[in-house]
């Protein structure tokens, strides 16, 4: 219960499921209700991107999620992500679905760098094989392809190394990796059980994923190491 004027911090994972804008619609339910491919009205675009990225990460062959993700990236303010979304679609389908890939590439082309668009058009018939040298970009989930600039890869790795475990977990949430974020937060909480920010995000993940078994196992690990679970665990 919240008293008038009281502010309650919303976790990042709650923003993923509820949208970061007050009054926005949870994309999980909005897409199901609307039965549409474009982003339904009232859904925060960033929350929708995270939701669709999570679906693609869980099932690389979820073509409907891929299509929605590409179409979403064709709309401001997410247009810088459209090449990464198309790369994921091309990698997932291989040489299949040429007509679909061509149609989405046509729609996305105004937002693409001409060289990026040319690269994808060259691979419309053959598909984009894994191991293809790709331009450096941030928004593809499937990292088995090789980035063209090895120096960029090393720079990105150094930047990640400077992030705190909590920041790295938030980055994983941004890309839809709920399981990876949970594991990182669990290790961070074991090291610092007094960290309320880590505790809040981890409990939010358990709550939204309904993973009571993982929560119980984590409680056992906390008790084994520290003799009790942190205040606020229940």
């Amino acid at each position: 219960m919240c008293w008038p004027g009281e502010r309650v911090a919303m976790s990042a994972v709650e923003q993923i499921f509820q949208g970061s804008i007050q009054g926005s619609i949870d994309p999980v339910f909005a897409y199901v209700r609307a039965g549409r491919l474009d982003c339904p009205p009232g859904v925060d675009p960033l929350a929708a991107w995270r939701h669709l990225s999570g679906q693609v990460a869980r099932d690389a062959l979820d073509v409907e999620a891929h299509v929605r993700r590409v179409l979403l990236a064709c709309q401001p303010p997410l247009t810088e992500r459209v090449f990464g979304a198309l790369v994921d679609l091309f990698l997932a389908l291989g040489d299949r679905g040429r007509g679909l890939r061509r149609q989405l590439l046509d729609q996305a082309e105004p937002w693409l760098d001409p060289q990026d668009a040319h690269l994808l058009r060259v691979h419309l018939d053959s598909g984009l094989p894994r191991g293809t040298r790709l331009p450096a970009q941030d928004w593809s989930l499937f990292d088995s392809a090789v980035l063209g600039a090895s120096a960029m890869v090393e720079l990105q790795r150094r930047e990640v190394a400077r992030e705190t475990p909590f920041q790295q977990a938030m980055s994983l949430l941004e890309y839809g990796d709920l399981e990876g974020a949970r594991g990182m937060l669990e290790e961070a909480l074991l090291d610092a059980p007094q960290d309320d920010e880590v505790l809040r995000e981890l409990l939010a993940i358990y709550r939204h994923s309904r993973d009571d078994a993982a929560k119980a196992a984590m409680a056992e690990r906390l008790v084994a190491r520290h003799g009790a679970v942190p205040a606020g665990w229940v």
Side-chain angles (χ1 to χ4, degrees), residues 83-84 86-92 119-120 123 127-150 152-154 156-157:
F83 180 64
L86 283 167
V87 165
D88 286 341
L89 174 66
F90 273 61
L91 287 172
L119 171 68
L120 295 177
H123 290 91
L128 192 64
R130 295 182 181 274
T132 301
R133 295 181 65 83
L134 298 173
Q137 48 83 30
D138 295 327
W139 301 109
S140 172
L141 291 172
F142 305 147
D143 57 3
S144 57
V146 180
L147 291 178
S150 59
M152 177 67 71
V153 177
E154 293 171 359
Q156 289 173 347
R157 286 174 178 166

Side-chain angles (χ1 to χ4, degrees), residues 192-224:
Q194 74 283 358
D195 192 323
D196 291 336
E197 193 173 37
V198 170
L199 175 63
R200 183 176 66 250
E201 296 296 345
L202 181 58
L203 291 178
I205 289 177
Y206 290 143
R207 183 165 60 253
H208 287 290
S209 61
R210 297 180 174 86
D211 197 340
D212 294 335
K215 183 179 179 182
M218 181 60 184
E220 292 179 359
R221 295 176 67 191
L222 287 165
V223 170

Side-chain angles (χ1 to χ4, degrees), residues 63-80:
V63 177
E64 185 175 313
H66 276 288
V67 171
R68 287 173 167 167
R69 192 166 173 256
V70 172
L71 293 177
L72 179 65
C74 288
Q75 304 295 324
L78 303 179
T79 51
E80 64 177 359

Side-chain angles (χ1 to χ4, degrees), residues 115-132:
Q115 292 184 346
D116 293 345
H118 176 70
L119 171 68
L120 295 177
R121 289 207 177 276
V122 167
H123 290 91
L124 271 175
D125 289 326
S126 62
L128 192 64
R130 295 182 181 274
T132 301

